[in-house]
Amino acid sequence: MDQPIKKGRFGVHGGQYVPETLMNELLKLEQAYTQAMEDAEFRQELNRLLAEYAGRPSLLYHAQKMSADLGGPQIYLKREDLNHTGSHKINNVLGQVLLAKRMGKTRVIAETGAGQHGVATATAAALLGLECVIFMGKEDVERQLLNVYRMELLGATVIPVTTGTMTLKDAVNETMREWTRRVEDTLYVLGSVMGPHPFPTMVRDFQSVIGSETRAQILKETGSLPAAVLACVGGGSNAMGIFYPFIQDEKVRLIGCEAAGQGIETEKHAATIAKGSLGVFHGMKSYFCQDEYGQIAPVYSISAGLDYPGIGPEHAHLYDSGRAEYRPATDEEAVQAFEYLARTEGIICAIESAHAVAQLMKMAKEFTARDSVVICLSGRGDKDVAAIARYRGRNIYE
Amino acid sequence: MNRIAQAFEANRPFIGFITGGDPSVAKTEEFILEMIAGGADIIEIGIPFSDPIAEGPVIQEANLRALGNGANVDKLFDMVASLRLKTQTPLLFMTYLNPVFRYGYERFFTRCRDCGLDGIIIPDLPYEERQEVEEAASRYGITLISMVAPTSKDRIKQIVEQAQGFIYTVSSMGVTGVRSNLDGSIGELVESIKKETQVPVAVGFGISNPQHARAVAAFADGVIVGSALVNIAAIHGEKAGPLLRQYVQEMKAAMAEA
C-alpha cells in the first residue's frame, strides 16, 4: 500500500484547500488532535463514553437466514444501528466534541443531511455541555421535521440553509462560512471522512473502532478473516471506519457501495466514483460529480445520507490503488434490500446501509458458503420508514 | 514593470470586483469599462462557481445568476481578450480553484496569457497548496495573489515571502459582504504585514462606502471593493453601468482625501 506522501495526502487526494482565515485553526486542530491521541487520559475518556454511553462494542451478528437464502457466503452484520442515536455517527462526534472541549471551545457547529450527524452532534454537545448550532438544507429540514425537532429537544439551534440546492452540500458550504466568521470559540464537527486535513484522518481514526471490533469479532467467531467487507459510501465515514483496520489484509475485498439513484445512466444519481472526476471542493482534492467547467453537479439519491457530490480523499486513493472497489446501487435495489432485510432478519436498517445490503444481494454468488462477508449496517431505519412507504405508494407522513 | 506594479506605483489603486456574466458576459464587459471610466485602477473578474464558500449572499446570488445565464470560463476569456484591446488597466480573475483545476492548469494559464490577463486570486488556495498552481501561473506570466487574514498571525511571514503583485488582506472574519462597520484592528494588521514586506498591501472584505474607503486608504496601499459593486449590478441589472461608474468616482474621491 502507498502511504500518504505528505501531510494530509492520500496519493494525490486530500490537502487543505480552504480560505486563509481557517488555516491557523486547522493547524491548531491537527496539533490538538495529535496530542489528544497521545494522551492516555483522553483516550480513556473517549473509550469510556463509547462503552458506557454509546453502547460499544456493537454486535457482529451472523445473519444465518439471509446467508442460507442468498446461497452465497456466511453473512455477518456489523450492528452500528444499535449504537446510541442509531448510527455510527456517534463514534466520531464523541471524539470531536471531547476534542473541542479540550481545545477550550464552547461551541460546536455541524452540517447535516438527513439529520443523523446533526442529532449525534447535538447529543454529544448536550452531554458535554457545549453550545450547538446545526446547518441543514431547507429542503432537508422540510423532509426531516422530526429530526429537526429532535435536535432542538437536545438543545441545539437548527439553521435552515436557503442557498444553492438547499441540501447537504449547501449545508457544508454554510457551516464552513459560519466557521470563518467565528473560529475562536467554535469547532466545526465535520460528519464524514472529508473536508480539509486533518478531518479525513481524524474522522477515519474515530470511526476505525468499527473495523477494529469487526476484525477481532470475526476472527473469534470464524477463526479467519472475511472474504469481503461491504459498506455504503456517501462521504464515506462508516466505510472508512470499517475498511481501515483491514487495509493491510490484502485478501479481504473492500467494497464501497455508492448511491446510483435512478441509475448511473441517468443524471439523477450520487455515484461519485462511477461518474465523477478529479476536482477540488470542500477543502479537499478528490473525485466529484461536476461538469466540464468544474461546477459541482446537483446529485440525487433516495438516501439523504448518500446524497453528496464527493467522496472522502482516502476512498479516492483506495480506488486509484485498486485496494478497494466501489459499486453503485440504485434506489430501487436499496429499497428492495431494505424490505428484504426487514422480512428475512427482522432488522430495519437505514436506507444508506441498505445500499450495501443490495450490493451483496447482487454479488452473493461470487462467494462460497465457506467464505464469510461482513456488511456494515451503519444505521437504523426508523427515520426512513415513512419515505419508503411513500416510495411504495403508501401516503404516510411522519 | 508589469501592469499591476504600475497601478500601485501610480497611486493607491481602487480595485473593483464584478461577477463575470451577471447579468450577461456582454454587460460585464460594459460594466468593467464603466468602472475604469469612473477611475478603477485594477479590475477583478469573478469566475462564477456553483459553491462559493468564501462569499456572502450578495456574491453567492450573483454567481448563481451568472451560471444560470450561461456564463463560463471560455466566454470570460473571450471577454478579457476583447477588453484588452480597449484598456491597459490590470485585469485579474477571482475564482475558486476547481474551475481552474478542471480546465487544466497549463491550458488555463496559457489562455490567461493569450487574452492579456494579469493575475489571479484564488481564495481556497492557501500558502500550503500554492505550489501546484504557481508553477503554471508563473510560466505564463500570471501573478498569483496571496491572501492574509486577521487569523494569519505567525503565518504572515511565510505568506508574504511568496507574495507577488499585491497582498490581498482580508479586513475581517467571515465571508465577503457589505458591512456597516469595519473592524478597528485592520490598521494594525496592515502594519504588521508591511513590517515583513515591500509588496503593496491592499484591503478588502466589507468596504462599501466612501467613509470606509477614506479610512482604509489612510493606511493601506489599495482598496478592494466587491459586494457593494455586485449589489449595484444586482439591483439595476442591465442599466447598472453608469451607476457603477458614479460609485467608483465617489469612492476614488474619498480615497483622495485620505
Side-chain angles (χ1 to χ4, degrees):
Chain A
M1 277 304 303
D2 293 340
Q3 290 304 310
I5 50 170
K6 84 182 218 213
K7 192 186 77 174
R9 288 281 172 180
F10 307 94
V12 300
H13 307 282
Q16 291 180 303
Y17 300 89
V18 295
E20 170 59 22
T21 305
L22 292 177
M23 275 309 301
N24 250 330
E25 196 59 25
L26 288 175
L27 296 172
K28 262 193 252 174
L29 177 62
E30 182 188 5
Q31 192 181 26
Y33 170 64
T34 308
Q35 285 169 358
M37 294 309 268
E38 286 164 1
D39 178 353
E41 212 169 296
F42 178 86
R43 290 203 315 269
Q44 211 171 9
E45 175 65 2
L46 177 57
N47 288 337
R48 186 186 69 79
L49 287 174
L50 289 172
E52 295 175 14
Y53 187 72
R56 303 209 71 88
S58 68
L59 299 173
L60 184 71
Y61 167 70
H62 186 186
Q64 295 185 39
K65 265 182 83 188
M66 186 179 169
S67 305
D69 184 57
L70 292 179
Q74 297 308 309
I75 298 163
Y76 289 83
L77 304 176
K78 181 59 174 167
R79 300 290 309 274
E80 292 298 303
D81 59 316
L82 298 178
N83 296 339
H84 180 42
T85 74
S87 80
H88 70 292
K89 294 290 186 189
I90 194 77
N91 305 330
N92 169 45
V93 299
L94 285 174
Q96 282 200 56
V97 178
L98 260 188
L99 186 62
K101 214 172 161 179
R102 183 186 161 98
M103 291 174 75
K105 306 288 184 190
T106 55
R107 179 173 177 262
V108 289
I109 55 175
E111 84 293 347
T112 199
Q116 295 307 99
H117 177 58
V119 168
T121 306
T123 299
L127 176 71
L128 296 167
L130 276 76
E131 186 188 340
C132 178
V133 180
I134 303 294
F135 292 84
M136 187 171 184
K138 186 167 163 280
E139 292 271 323
D140 291 331
V141 166
E142 284 162 8
R143 285 189 291 208
Q144 299 284 343
L145 283 173
L146 264 181
N147 266 343
V148 173
Y149 188 66
R150 244 175 226 127
M151 289 183 265
E152 289 170 353
L153 265 182
L154 292 159
T157 304
V158 179
I159 299 185
V161 174
T162 55
T163 54
T165 55
M166 303 188 201
T167 58
L168 178 56
K169 110 184 138 66
D170 308 283
V172 175
N173 293 345
E174 210 48 48
T175 318
M176 282 186 141
R177 289 183 186 121
E178 173 62 16
W179 206 26
T180 63
R181 280 180 206 112
R182 202 169 150 184
V183 293
E184 201 59 39
D185 66 347
T186 299
L187 179 67
Y188 180 0
V189 174
L190 238 162
S192 193
V193 285
M194 47 157 285
H197 178 68
F199 286 107
T201 300
M202 182 168 73
V203 177
R204 174 254 279 156
D205 289 350
F206 286 139
Q207 290 294 1
S208 65
V209 65
I210 306 173
S212 304
E213 286 176 8
T214 301
R215 197 170 181 286
Q217 286 165 325
I218 194 89
L219 281 173
K220 190 171 172 210
E221 173 97 12
T222 69
S224 57
L225 289 168
V229 175
L230 288 90
C232 64
V233 179
S237 71
N238 89 87
M240 209 55 239
I242 197 165
F243 287 176
Y244 190 63
F246 288 101
I247 287 179
Q248 305 300 332
D249 304 318
E250 294 197 6
K251 288 196 173 141
V252 179
R253 286 174 70 184
L254 305 175
I255 303 167
C257 308
E258 25 177 46
Q262 296 180 1
I264 56 170
E265 68 288 354
T266 73
E267 284 183 359
K268 302 200 88 180
H269 63 78
T272 309
I273 292 288
K275 302 292 282 189
S277 54
L278 192 60
V280 180
F281 184 50
H282 281 162
M284 58 182 170
K285 190 175 282 179
S286 188
Y287 293 111
F288 297 95
C289 296
Q290 57 181 327
D291 73 8
E292 58 173 316
Y293 287 107
Q295 307 296 340
I296 302 304
V299 288
Y300 163 80
S301 165
I302 190 171
S303 149
L306 305 182
D307 196 357
Y308 180 72
I311 187 167
E314 196 165 6
H315 282 295
H317 179 57
L318 289 175
Y319 170 72
D320 286 352
S321 69
R323 179 63 192 93
E325 312 156 47
Y326 295 84
R327 305 290 182 84
T330 63
D331 283 0
E332 178 60 29
E333 289 166 341
V335 169
Q336 283 180 18
F338 176 90
E339 294 164 338
Y340 175 82
L341 192 67
R343 277 198 317 270
T344 312
E345 294 288 347
I347 297 170
I348 297 174
C349 73
I351 189 65
E352 288 79 13
S353 323
H355 285 71
V357 177
Q359 181 55 37
L360 183 61
M361 290 168 70
K362 288 192 280 184
M363 64 189 303
K365 295 286 201 261
E366 294 179 27
F367 302 95
T368 72
R370 295 174 60 186
D371 294 326
S372 66
V373 165
V374 178
I375 303 174
C376 188
L377 278 199
S378 55
R380 68 178 178 226
D382 310 42
K383 68 181 176 59
D384 300 309
V385 169
I388 304 294
R390 293 196 296 276
Y391 180 87
R392 288 300 189 211
R394 293 267 292 275
N395 220 7
I396 296 171
Y397 287 84
E398 283 167 350
Chain B
M1 192 183 291
N2 68 31
R3 283 186 286 252
I4 296 172
Q6 279 168 8
F8 279 90
E9 191 82 357
N11 59 5
R12 284 177 205 280
F14 175 90
I15 304 168
F17 170 94
I18 197 86
T19 300
D22 174 34
S24 67
V25 174
K27 276 289 158 186
T28 300
E29 182 171 350
E30 179 198 316
F31 292 172
I32 289 169
L33 291 169
E34 290 279 8
M35 284 158 63
I36 293 169
D41 304 287
I42 297 176
I43 299 291
E44 290 176 13
I45 301 154
I47 297 177
F49 183 51
S50 53
D51 297 85
I53 59 153
E55 313 298 346
V58 170
I59 298 179
Q60 281 176 40
E61 285 159 19
N63 275 268
L64 294 180
R65 283 195 301 272
L67 291 172
N69 294 334
N72 63 44
V73 68
D74 282 322
K75 291 179 186 173
L76 294 177
F77 278 129
D78 292 342
M79 180 192 79
V80 170
S82 163
L83 278 167
R84 193 42 88 215
L85 301 173
K86 299 166 190 165
T87 175
Q88 283 305 305
T89 299
L91 302 170
L92 314 180
F93 273 151
M94 180 141 181
T95 176
Y96 290 84
L97 183 56
N98 202 45
V100 183
F101 179 82
R102 183 79 172 125
Y103 207 83
Y105 294 150
E106 279 295 317
R107 185 169 157 239
F108 188 91
F109 289 109
T110 306
R111 289 215 62 187
C112 285
R113 179 199 59 192
D114 292 350
C115 72
L117 196 87
D118 297 282
I120 188 164
I121 305 166
I122 307 177
D124 56 351
L125 188 77
Y127 168 81
E128 279 74 0
E129 309 294 356
R130 179 183 170 87
Q131 199 189 346
E132 68 177 72
V133 178
E134 192 171 23
E135 282 170 7
S138 64
R139 207 172 314 131
Y140 296 100
I142 306 301
T143 302
L144 177 58
I145 304 296
S146 298
M147 299 180 93
V148 168
T151 50
S152 295
K153 296 176 186 161
D154 49 353
R155 294 168 51 79
I156 291 174
K157 206 171 171 140
Q158 62 184 32
I159 293 171
V160 303
E161 268 173 22
Q162 310 247 322
Q164 321 162 344
F166 64 92
I167 290 159
Y168 189 128
T169 306
V170 176
S171 73
S172 48
M173 301 297 291
V175 293
T176 58
V178 173
R179 291 164 174 60
S180 48
N181 293 306
L182 287 180
D183 195 319
S185 59
I186 180 64
E188 291 163 39
L189 178 60
V190 169
E191 200 176 313
S192 64
I193 300 168
K194 282 176 158 296
K195 264 189 216 149
E196 306 286 348
T197 181
Q198 299 295 312
V199 179
V201 179
V203 173
F205 276 43
I207 299 171
S208 60
N209 60 42
Q211 288 80 0
H212 293 160
R214 191 180 303 122
V216 172
F219 54 78
D221 301 319
V223 173
I224 307 168
V225 174
S227 295
L229 289 161
V230 174
N231 205 28
I232 292 170
I235 293 168
H236 300 282
E238 300 202 336
K239 295 178 184 142
L243 293 148
L244 291 166
R245 180 204 293 233
Q246 191 189 337
Y247 175 86
V248 175
Q249 280 168 344
E250 288 165 16
M251 295 294 273
K252 284 283 285 188
M255 287 168 67
E257 294 164 15

